[in-house]
């Protein structure tokens, strides 16, 4: 595939990523609506569900904050990584105009906005070698409200899974309505700072209907989801039973 065709494919991937919501998430929102008793919470969930419907119908972003773009690329060993990178950058610039995307690439030093979502380390491109004979590109936009609620914590050696649960609950309470709940919590455990944060991001790529293959971790996912929804933060931070619709942990 030549670079121009590759750009077009990536643009459509970006469009789909910002204008559609996975079936598991849509189902979870509808189930949450059935469980809610609070009228304000119901109103918020109904608005979200309708907003998703309209966004998918009109092929427009679900949220005005289309976030920072992350690309996870699984690349055959013989593939030209620089060519893929050029196509991703070109597609990002064009998608900013065509989809459209909100320009979110701001220089960390000068505060200047590039206007096209391309800047220093933006978009972020993670490359993983692959034995496949094709290139696999995952587009992962993450809005500022969610990203700004990210937390990295170092737990004392010997602390168990209960301390992980406690840390997550404190982080959720601190974030409050900032990340526009209900949220999906991606949690990475172990491996040092960089690895833990990447594990957390990778966890978000797993459907919320799938539990971790380790039964102990799967139990922790269920326990955290239950405890988070007892906080009463609720949809958009306005109170209710649904603060999170999923918890995915990678170790």
């Amino acid at each position: 595939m030549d670079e121009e065709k590759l750009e077009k494919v990536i643009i459509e991937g970006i469009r789909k990523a910002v204008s559609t919501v996975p079936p598991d998430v849509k189902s979870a929102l509808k189930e949450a609506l059935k469980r809610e008793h609070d009228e304000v919470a119901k109103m918020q969930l109904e608005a979200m569900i309708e907003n998703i419907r309209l966004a998918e119908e009109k092929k427009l972003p679900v949220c005005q904050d289309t976030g920072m773009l992350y690309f996870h690329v699984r690349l055959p060993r013989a593939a030209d990584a620089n060519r893929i990178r050029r196509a991703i950058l070109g597609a990002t610039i064009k998608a900013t105009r065509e989809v459209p995307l909100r320009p979110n690439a701001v220089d960390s030093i000068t505060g200047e906005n590039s206007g096209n979502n391309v800047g220093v380390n933006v978009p972020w491109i993670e490359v993983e070698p692959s034995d496949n004979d094709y290139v696999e590109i995952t587009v992962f936009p993450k809005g500022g409200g969610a990203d700004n609620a990210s937390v990295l914590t170092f737990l004392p050696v010997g602390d168990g899974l209960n301390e992980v649960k406690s840390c997550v609950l404190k982080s959720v309470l601190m974030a409050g309505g900032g990340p526009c709940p209900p949220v999906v919590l991606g949690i990475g455990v172990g491996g040092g700072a960089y690895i833990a944060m990447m594990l957390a991001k990778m966890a978000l790529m797993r459907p919320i209907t799938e539990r971790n293959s380790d039964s102990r971790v799967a139990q922790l996912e269920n326990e955290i989801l239950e405890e988070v929804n007892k906080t009463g933060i609720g949809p958009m931070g306005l109170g209710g039973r649904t603060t999170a619709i999923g918890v995915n942990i990678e170790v």
Side-chain angles (χ1 to χ4, degrees), residues 2 18 21 39 48 72 130 139 150-151 195 220 233 247:
D2 64 38
V18 300
V21 170
E39 288 303 317
M48 291 176 192
H72 186 82
S130 167
V139 187
S150 299
V151 173
I195 295 172
L220 183 61
I233 294 169
V247 174

Side-chain angles (χ1 to χ4, degrees), residues 22 24-25 184 202-211 247-248:
D24 56 318
V25 174
V184 177
M202 296 302 292
L204 291 171
M205 296 185 190
R206 176 169 25 113
I208 58 176
T209 51
E210 291 182 15
R211 297 275 59 84
V247 174
N248 288 356

Side-chain angles (χ1 to χ4, degrees), residues 104-115 118-119:
N104 283 334
V106 177
D107 188 285
S108 301
I109 307 301
T110 66
E112 183 179 351
N113 192 316
S114 69
V118 172

